[in-house]
Amino acid sequence: MSLKTHSVSVEKVEISKINNVDFNNLIFGNTFTDYMFECDYKDGSWQNPTVKPYGTLTISPAAKVFHYGQAVFEGMKAYKDDDGKIWLFRPDENFKRINKSSKRLAIPEFPKEFFFEALNTLLTLDRDWVQAGEGNSLYIRPFVIATQVGVSASPSDRYKFMILMSPVNAYYKDAVKVVIAQTYSRAANGGVGATKAAGNYAAQFYPTNLAKEKGFQQVIWTDANEHKYLEEAGTMNVFFRVNDTLITAPNNDRILDGITRKSVIDLAERMGIHTEVRRVSVSEIIEAAKDGSLKEIFGSGTAAVISPVSAISYDDVTYNLSSIENSYASKFKKELMDIQQNRTEDPFGWRYEVK
Ligand SMILES: Cc1ncc(COP(=O)(O)O)c(C=O)c1O
């Protein structure tokens, strides 16, 4: 059956898979909802936006995405409140960011009306997959791949924009131990670090594996030139609390402009927490760890929201951070989740209701 909405076509599933899913024991990003969104770019325009049953694709092995990595993605979440209403958190920011990423990778930008209509249609059809309750959400993965056939290194003239959705529970259960990067880098000046280019993540896997072999979960990335300044933690932005001051690095072309990060900065200002957005040197943080003024480190990102760090390693020395009561991390996490799940007022207008 094929229905027409405003501009997005809908192909209905015959039988939902939802009864086979154990929503209390989800592995992050492994289970997908009944529907997905697909839209093709050809002859110079985005065409046939369609919501259809989740399923496999048939793509030529010569498609450029497989050879040149011309691919970008986004990560966002939908939440259900206790009244059954569904909310997105700052989806405009994800929309702007995927087009910023696309532009940098010579991919044509995607129309705003298709993006929002796709999300509204998907979330209406798959609304039962969004579970209410603490830590539960639906992770949403928009992405674009180059589909032109041909093993010649030039931008594709065909693309596929897709959106997948995956029900998830809370991301990290425990605080993470991190190691400061002294050899490898995730991004370089003038490169693609400020975009969500797929290849950025592939490049992180090997150094992260090395950190894991030593008992750490993530790498804190430093500037590629000198490894002197702290920039991101794994796939999160990173904050440091020295005494009562919150410090985070300014955005640059190596750092992803995180939506959670900018929300934390706004919340900190509203809570009266003194915040400094400036370069953060490895040496000042190691000194602060030694003299006890380093109180907290935490990562911020859509997947984990706020992820406290329990230990940091540099030059093969590990500095442990004891957990503290009323931590900034726990305050920001609570405040953000309360806004996201419609449990509190929304002073910044960040919530978007799916109707
Ligand atoms: C490299 C990187 N940094 C930071 C973030 C956090 O960004 P956001 O808060 O928008 O999820 C992400 C995740 O999206 C990321 O992949």
Side-chain angles (χ1 to χ4, degrees), residues 301-334:
T302 296
V305 190
I306 299 291
S307 186
V309 169
S310 60
I312 183 167
S313 167
Y314 183 66
D315 272 346
D316 289 325
V317 181
T318 299
Y319 304 86
N320 289 305
L321 283 161
S322 36
S323 60
I324 48 176
E325 266 185 52
N326 295 322
S327 64
Y328 285 180
S330 63
K331 283 186 194 167
F332 290 127
K333 185 160 191 169
K334 179 173 183 321

Side-chain angles (χ1 to χ4, degrees), residues 97 186 196 201 232 235-237 256 258-260 300-302:
R97 196 169 63 186
R186 72 169 283 280
K196 282 183 82 77
Y201 297 81
E232 297 216 58
T235 57
M236 293 180 286
N237 296 110
L256 192 81
I259 298 160
T260 320
S300 70
T302 296

